[in-house]
Amino acid sequence: MAGAEDGPGQQLELDEDEASCCRWGAQHAGARELAALYSPGKRLQEWCSVILCFSLIAHNLVHLLLLARWEDTPLVILGVVAGALIADFLSGLVHWGADTWGSVELPIVGKAFIRPFREHHIDPTAITRHDFIETNGDNCLVTLLPLLNMAYKFRTHSPEALEQLYPWECFVFCLIIFGTFTNQIHKWSHTYFGLPRWVTLLQDWHVILPRKHHRIHHVSPHETYFCITTGAATSGVEWAFPTPATAPSSRSGGQRSQQEVTQSLPSGNSLSGHAFIEHLLCARHYSRC
């Protein structure tokens, strides 16, 4: 049984006959091919991104705490909520784009950014076998520029100017934090045992993406529930970027039958750990529709 975190990019080893008969999971030939594209150069980029990102987060957080004032509390709370919602919307937009456009053959972005999304649909619980660096490296890279900009302001602006900017910078910082940890939150939504109690509480309170919410995205054709930070902006993304599954005509056209959904999933005895549990829950969810 696979643990929640094994080595980076690790895949189960099977012979060719076993791999060829699997349609889903780590045993799928396509999943193994996509996982093999994870290179040493990519690993180095992720390490550098994580180190720089968390150094800047610590630097900026210290400055925000030193500038905190009680009178800014209402605007700070508003900024935290807005930051979480916008981060969720952006996660859905990126997810929708990576699922819909391009291919892993595209220069630079193909292997670096599109590959993980395509692998994830073939092997949804591969992310539970990724370590902290592989899980969060890309998001750390994306948030480096706004973190550097914030650090520059703290170093160059006067205290009076920073006081005026404080609520805005709190909003930006919250947006960055939720954006940085989106893939970690996504990973937790696929992890069915071994999670800390505080993580499951945040999922139950919908502060971060609940497992049962994201599970709906993982039945073919993967055209709904793209948001992977909190899930709260799902309706907004589906309204702004409709797919055949989210169009009004498809909503009134009835749900897929239990037999159709079951046939789109792998046999339970070919899976283990998180993948086996997710397989059962996907089938259970759609059997109720």
Side-chain angles (χ1 to χ4, degrees), residues 69-279:
R69 299 183 304 170
W70 282 110
E71 51 265 39
D72 290 327
T73 301
L75 287 176
V76 169
I77 293 173
L78 180 62
V80 168
V81 173
L85 288 174
I86 293 175
D88 191 49
F89 183 88
L90 292 175
S91 77
L93 174 59
V94 171
H95 193 177
W96 171 83
D99 284 1
T100 307
W101 301 98
S103 75
V104 295
E105 304 302 324
L106 286 175
I108 303 176
V109 297
K111 292 182 180 180
F113 298 106
I114 295 177
R115 177 196 65 83
F117 287 94
R118 303 298 167 86
E119 178 192 8
H120 186 60
H121 284 168
I122 301 174
D123 183 9
T125 54
I127 194 171
T128 67
R129 300 187 297 276
H130 296 170
D131 67 0
F132 185 84
I133 301 299
E134 185 176 0
T135 299
N136 299 289
D138 288 338
N139 287 48
C140 286
L141 176 64
V142 170
T143 56
L144 279 179
L145 188 59
L147 283 168
L148 284 167
N149 181 58
M150 185 179 292
Y152 175 78
K153 290 180 183 179
F154 287 136
R155 289 293 182 180
T156 59
H157 285 35
S158 67
E160 293 76 16
L162 290 173
E163 286 182 6
Q164 295 296 320
L165 289 171
Y166 187 76
W168 170 257
E169 296 303 327
C170 286
F171 158 73
V172 173
F173 188 75
C174 183
L175 176 61
I176 290 170
I177 291 298
F178 272 95
T180 299
F181 286 98
T182 286
N183 269 352
Q184 186 65 51
I185 293 168
H186 184 199
K187 174 179 178 175
W188 287 332
S189 75
H190 286 281
T191 305
Y192 290 92
F193 50 85
L195 285 177
R197 177 61 177 160
W198 63 271
V199 172
T200 59
L201 285 175
L202 290 177
Q203 289 175 332
D204 292 341
W205 297 337
H206 287 248
V207 176
I208 62 175
L209 184 68
R211 285 173 288 193
K212 63 182 179 181
H213 182 281
H214 184 58
R215 193 182 306 140
I216 300 170
H217 178 72
H218 279 281
V219 173
S220 181
H222 314 288
E223 292 180 342
T224 59
Y225 287 73
F226 290 102
C227 295
I228 53 175
T229 304
T230 68
T234 292
S235 297
V237 171
E238 292 182 355
W239 174 82
F241 305 98
T243 64
T246 59
S249 59
S250 69
R251 288 174 182 154
S252 60
Q255 298 284 347
R256 300 165 68 192
S257 69
Q258 180 180 355
Q259 182 179 5
E260 289 175 321
V261 172
T262 302
Q263 288 176 347
S264 73
L265 296 170
S267 60
N269 59 12
S270 69
L271 307 172
S272 62
H274 305 286
F276 178 66
I277 295 172
E278 186 146 67
H279 157 70

Side-chain angles (χ1 to χ4, degrees), residues 12-90:
L12 301 177
E13 295 294 331
L14 294 131
D15 59 40
E16 288 188 13
D17 290 336
E18 285 179 294
S20 64
C21 70
C22 297
R23 296 172 294 166
W24 191 84
Q27 302 93 331
H28 190 285
R32 299 174 72 185
E33 180 180 352
L34 289 168
L37 296 176
Y38 185 71
S39 65
K42 173 66 174 168
R43 181 70 172 177
L44 177 61
Q45 169 255 301
E46 290 172 346
W47 263 107
C48 294
S49 299
V50 169
I51 292 171
L52 287 172
C53 178
F54 280 90
S55 298
L56 288 167
I57 285 175
H59 173 274
N60 294 340
L61 178 59
V62 168
H63 282 273
L64 286 173
L65 292 175
L66 291 174
L67 290 168
R69 299 183 304 170
W70 282 110
E71 51 265 39
D72 290 327
T73 301
L75 287 176
V76 169
I77 293 173
L78 180 62
V80 168
V81 173
L85 288 174
I86 293 175
D88 191 49
F89 183 88
L90 292 175

